[in-house]
Amino acid sequence: MKQRKFINNTKRSFVVIGIITFIFAVLFFRLGFLMIVRKNFLVAKAESQSSYQQTIMPKRGSILDTNGQQLAVSGDVYKLSLDLFEVHNYADNKSRRTGDKPQEIVKDIADKLADILGKDKKEVEDFMEKKNDQGVYPRGLALARKIEKGQIDKIKELRDKNSYNFVIIENDTNRYYPNNNFLAQVLGGVDVDGKGLFGLEQYYNKDLTGVPGISISQVDRKSRDLPYSNQIYTQPVNGKDLTTTIDSRIQYICEKIAEKTMETTKAKGVNILVTDPKTGEILAMVNKPDFNPNDPKKGITDNNALFELWRNKAVNDVYEPGSTFKLVTMSAALEENLTYRDDKFYDKGYVIVDGVPINCWKEGGHGAENLVDLLKNSCNPGFIELGKRLGKEKMNSYIEKFGFGKQTGIDFPGEATGIVKSTSTMSNVDLATISFGQTDAASMVQLIGAINAVFNNGVYTTPHFMKNLSQVDTDGNRKVVATYEEKNSRQVISQKTANTVAGFLEETVSKGSGKLAYIEGYGVAGKTGTAQKANIGGKGYGKDVVASFIGGAPYNNPKISLLVTIDTPEGIEHMGGEIAAPVAHDLFDQIFRAIGYDPTKK
C-alpha cells in the first residue's frame, strides 16, 4: 500500500515539475522574444509614452518692397490640439468620483472650448469622438489653428483651473498682408501650414520658410512635464526676408490708375507693368480684377474662377501683341542693314500675299512714307515689306534673340513661354502677319524685356522681383545672404540700332499714333497696339481686342519703362492710341512726380 502511494506521489511530482518547467520555458522564450525581437518597438513605445515631442515652427520671413516697407509678414498665433485618449480617460476617472456620465463630462469640455473659440458646439462635440483607423482615440489632434493670444490665454486659464492636461498648446504663425489687395497676384498666398501656394510666396517658399525647432520633455502618465527632467530643445531658424524690387510709391499709383481705367473702359481686365530698363527690376505690377490675400477665397466657390483670379496675367498669360511688336521687326531690319531712316514705302491700304489680301488699319492706306512714318502711322503694309526683306529664318532669329518663345527666367512660378511659329511651318502669310504682331503670342514680361533691350543700348536684362535675401542673426543684426544675379544678359542689337529705334519711338509719341501719351519735355517714347483676340480654338479673330501701350522715358536715358494692356474694352473707343496711351501719360507724369525726378531738367 505504501509502495503504491510512493509511486503516485512520484508521478505527481514529475507532473508538477513538468508543468513548472513548461511554464518557465514559455516565459523564457516570451521574455527572449520581447527583449530581442520586439526590443526596438517596445523601447520606442515606452519613450513615446514617457516623453512629449513638440515641433516649434519657425517664423516665416517677410516680403518687403525695395525701401523696406512690409508687404507680407507673419504674426505669432497658436495651435490647439487635444489628446483625445486622455480626454476620455479624464472623463472616466471623474465619472467614478462624481457619478456623472462620461459622455456628459466630455460634452461639457467640448462646450467650454467651443465658447472660447467661437466654434459650433456640435462640431467640437463630434471632434471629441473621432477615432483613428484602429478605432483608438488619437493623441494630439488639432482642433483649431491660427488662434490669437487673447483666446489662448482663456484656454490656458481653463486648462489650469480644471487640470485639463489633455490640452496641447503649440506656437503657430499666421500670414498677414497689411495692404490687403495691394500687389495681390504678385505676392500670392500660403496654405494653412504656411506653405507658399502661388506667387512670390511659392517661388521663394524654401527661403521664406526657415527650419523648424524641436522640444522633447519627459512626462508622467497624465502627460504632465516631470520636474527636474532633462529637456531637449532645438531653436527654430526663422525664414529669410525677401526684399523685392517693387517700389510701393509706384505700385500705389499703378493700382489707382488701373482701377480708374477698369471703370472708364468697362474692360474685362487691366494690367500694368513698370520696370527699370537698365536692370530689369520690376518696380510695379498690377492685375485687375484682384483679391485680398488675407481672404483669397472670399465670395468664390468655383475653383476655376478662383484660380483665374489668382493668376498673374502679366507673367502666366500670353496674347497676340499687335503693333507693340513692330519695334522688334524694325530693330531686326535696321540691324541687318535692310532699311534706313529715309527709305521709301507706299501704302495703298492693303497687301496681297499669296493671294490673301491683308489690310492696313486705315482704309485707303497712308500713301508715301519713310521708315519713321511706318512706326508713327503703325502701318501694317510697311511692316509686311520689312518682314519680307528679313525672311522667315532671320525674323525668327531675332524673335528668339529678343526673348520670345521661351521663358525669360523671371523669378515667378508658372511663367508662360509664349507661341512662336516655327520657321519650317511658317507660310508667307504667317511671315506677313508676324511682322506686325499677329499669329505669334507673347507675355507682358517678354514684351517689356524686348523694349528694355532697345532702351538699354541693345543689351537684354531679365525682368525680376528679387533684390536680396537677408536674415537677422542672434545678435539682432540684419545680414544680406544673397543678392539677385543676372544670368541672361546678352547683346541683342547694336547700340547704334537700339538708339535709333528709341529715337523713332519718341517721334511716334510726339508726332504719331502715341501722341496722347506725350508730355512736353519728358522724352516719352513708345508704341501703341490694338490686337485682335483670336477665337477660341484659334480659328480666325473675333471683335474683341487688347488695347495696349509700351514705352519708356526719357528715351535717351530712360528711368522707367512700362506696358499697359486693356483687355476687351467696351465702347466705340477701343484703339490703343485712344485708351491705352492716355493711361501711359498719367503713369509717366505721376510716377516721375512721386520719385522726385524731373525729365525736363538736365
Side-chain angles (χ1 to χ4, degrees):
M1 188 73 177
K2 288 183 179 180
Q3 181 70 21
R4 183 181 300 169
K5 186 175 182 180
F6 174 78
I7 293 173
N8 288 338
N9 288 337
T10 301
K11 287 182 179 181
R12 190 178 296 112
S13 297
F14 277 120
V15 170
V16 171
I17 292 171
I19 292 172
I20 293 172
T21 302
F22 175 76
I23 292 173
F24 270 100
V26 171
L27 290 173
F28 176 79
F29 283 111
R30 177 61 179 168
L31 185 61
F33 174 76
L34 295 175
M35 293 180 66
I36 299 173
V37 179
R38 299 275 285 174
K39 175 186 175 182
N40 293 336
F41 170 78
L42 293 173
V43 168
K45 187 173 182 180
E47 289 179 349
S48 69
Q49 291 177 343
S50 62
S51 64
Y52 175 66
Q53 178 174 316
Q54 179 180 3
T55 299
I56 305 172
M57 297 303 295
K59 191 171 184 178
R60 188 173 178 85
S62 298
I63 301 179
L64 313 169
D65 86 339
T66 190
N67 297 310
Q69 181 174 326
Q70 291 181 332
L71 301 174
V73 294
S74 288
D76 292 328
V77 286
Y78 300 88
K79 179 173 76 170
L80 172 63
S81 300
L82 298 179
D83 184 334
L84 295 185
F85 179 84
E86 284 299 329
V87 167
H88 288 270
N89 189 35
Y90 172 92
D92 290 339
N93 292 334
K94 186 175 181 180
S95 174
R96 284 192 286 270
R97 295 195 311 271
T98 64
D100 297 329
K101 293 181 180 180
Q103 304 95 298
E104 292 300 320
I105 296 172
V106 172
K107 182 179 182 300
D108 179 62
I109 296 169
D111 292 349
K112 287 177 179 177
L113 291 174
D115 286 338
I116 295 174
L117 296 172
K119 282 180 168 287
D120 180 73
K121 291 184 178 181
K122 182 66 168 57
E123 178 185 341
V124 181
E125 290 168 13
D126 291 343
F127 175 88
M128 293 293 201
E129 301 302 326
K130 285 186 177 180
K131 294 184 179 181
N132 59 23
D133 294 339
Q134 286 75 42
V136 178
Y137 290 114
R139 316 194 70 160
L141 192 63
L143 171 61
R145 302 284 303 271
K146 318 298 182 186
I147 308 172
E148 299 292 342
K149 187 176 185 302
Q151 288 177 307
I152 214 69
D153 285 344
K154 292 180 180 178
I155 290 173
K156 286 180 179 178
E157 184 181 347
L158 178 70
R159 178 191 63 184
D160 297 342
K161 179 181 179 181
N162 296 278
S163 299
Y164 287 169
N165 295 312
F166 45 78
V167 171
I168 305 166
I169 297 172
E170 300 172 281
N171 70 312
D172 202 358
T173 60
N174 195 26
R175 201 63 164 168
Y176 298 100
Y177 302 89
N179 301 312
N180 297 320
N181 295 45
F182 192 82
L183 211 68
Q185 288 92 342
V186 173
L187 296 175
V190 299
D191 63 15
V192 69
D193 295 314
K195 180 181 178 182
L197 283 178
F198 60 106
L200 292 177
E201 294 278 26
Q202 178 187 348
Y203 191 90
Y204 285 102
N205 184 66
K206 184 177 180 182
D207 298 297
L208 293 166
T209 298
V211 181
I214 191 171
S215 172
I216 303 175
S217 56
Q218 300 298 309
V219 295
D220 63 13
R221 66 184 182 87
K222 294 185 177 180
S223 300
R224 294 175 297 197
D225 287 350
L226 292 173
Y228 314 115
S229 64
N230 293 325
Q231 184 181 47
I232 299 173
Y233 180 80
T234 303
Q235 183 79 19
V237 179
N238 291 333
K240 301 178 181 69
D241 292 336
L242 169 65
T243 299
T244 68
T245 58
I246 295 293
D247 188 323
S248 290
R249 298 169 299 175
I250 299 175
Q251 180 71 24
Y252 178 80
I253 290 167
C254 294
E255 296 266 359
K256 291 302 178 184
I257 289 178
E259 288 174 5
K260 180 181 176 182
T261 304
M262 282 283 287
E263 292 175 6
T264 56
T265 64
K266 295 180 173 57
K268 287 184 178 179
V270 174
N271 306 91
I272 299 174
L273 174 56
V274 182
T275 70
D276 180 338
K278 295 179 180 178
T279 64
E281 291 185 349
I282 297 173
L283 307 177
M285 183 180 284
V286 176
N287 295 267
K288 298 292 182 183
D290 58 19
F291 60 94
N292 188 340
N294 293 303
D295 190 7
K297 297 182 180 180
K298 184 177 181 180
I300 301 176
T301 56
D302 180 70
N303 283 336
N304 291 331
L306 185 66
F307 294 138
E308 180 66 20
L309 186 62
W310 287 359
R311 289 176 68 82
N312 184 346
K313 293 178 173 59
V315 181
N316 304 139
D317 288 4
V318 298
Y319 67 104
E320 294 186 19
S323 296
T324 55
F325 183 83
K326 290 173 179 174
L327 66 93
V328 175
T329 304
M330 181 163 285
S331 297
L334 283 167
E335 186 73 6
E336 291 295 321
N337 296 314
L338 297 173
T339 190
Y340 53 95
R341 181 184 179 91
D342 295 323
D343 200 357
K344 303 301 180 184
F345 300 85
Y346 188 85
D347 172 21
K348 58 185 179 182
Y350 66 92
V351 176
I352 296 177
V353 180
D354 289 352
V356 179
I358 303 176
N359 297 323
C360 181
W361 65 268
K362 182 180 179 182
E363 189 175 348
H366 295 95
E369 301 174 288
N370 64 17
L371 185 64
V372 186
D373 291 332
L374 298 186
L375 263 183
K376 288 161 57 177
N377 298 326
S378 198
C379 177
N380 290 349
F383 279 90
I384 290 173
E385 173 60 26
L386 293 180
K388 181 179 178 181
R389 294 181 190 181
L390 280 164
K392 300 170 186 177
E393 289 187 9
K394 276 194 170 62
M395 174 62 84
N396 264 0
S397 173
Y398 279 93
I399 286 172
E400 182 182 358
K401 287 179 181 179
F402 272 101
F404 297 99
K406 58 186 176 183
Q407 293 182 336
T408 64
I410 186 174
D411 48 343
F412 200 86
E415 181 187 4
T417 57
I419 301 170
V420 173
K421 193 85 170 180
S422 67
T423 305
S424 61
T425 60
M426 188 189 300
S427 67
N428 291 329
V429 174
D430 291 332
L431 176 61
T433 56
I434 288 168
S435 68
F436 61 81
Q438 287 189 343
T439 302
D440 286 353
S443 68
M444 289 183 69
V445 290
Q446 288 175 331
L447 283 163
I448 206 74
I451 201 168
N452 283 351
V454 171
F455 287 138
N456 191 36
N457 296 321
V459 178
Y460 186 90
T461 55
T462 307
H464 63 276
F465 288 104
M466 174 188 168
K467 186 175 183 179
N468 63 55
L469 289 167
S470 62
Q471 202 158 27
V472 178
D473 61 23
T474 54
D475 297 324
N477 301 314
R478 182 172 295 280
K479 179 182 179 182
V480 174
V481 296
T483 56
Y484 177 77
E485 295 181 14
E486 173 61 63
K487 298 177 181 178
N488 297 317
S489 179
R490 58 187 181 274
Q491 192 79 40
V492 178
I493 51 177
S494 67
Q495 180 177 343
K496 178 183 177 182
T497 298
N499 294 343
T500 299
V501 174
F504 289 177
L505 290 169
E506 190 281 329
E507 291 188 52
T508 301
V509 171
S510 61
K511 303 174 184 178
S513 58
K515 58 182 177 292
L516 292 182
Y518 179 74
I519 305 174
E520 180 68 34
Y522 274 47
V524 176
K527 182 73 189 74
T528 61
T530 309
Q532 293 175 286
K533 293 179 69 173
N535 290 324
I536 297 175
K539 295 182 179 180
Y541 296 88
K543 62 179 181 178
D544 293 338
V545 301
V546 176
S548 60
F549 178 94
I550 191 168
Y555 77 97
N556 54 355
N557 185 25
K559 301 300 179 184
I560 62 169
S561 58
L562 58 83
L563 173 57
V564 178
T565 64
I566 304 171
D567 183 6
T568 318
E570 293 184 7
I572 298 174
E573 291 185 353
H574 64 275
M575 305 287 284
E578 295 170 334
I579 62 173
V583 174
H585 171 282
D586 293 347
L587 286 168
F588 283 121
D589 181 44
Q590 294 186 36
I591 289 171
F592 281 138
R593 289 175 186 272
I595 64 176
Y597 176 74
D598 188 351
T600 64
K601 293 181 180 180
K602 295 183 180 180

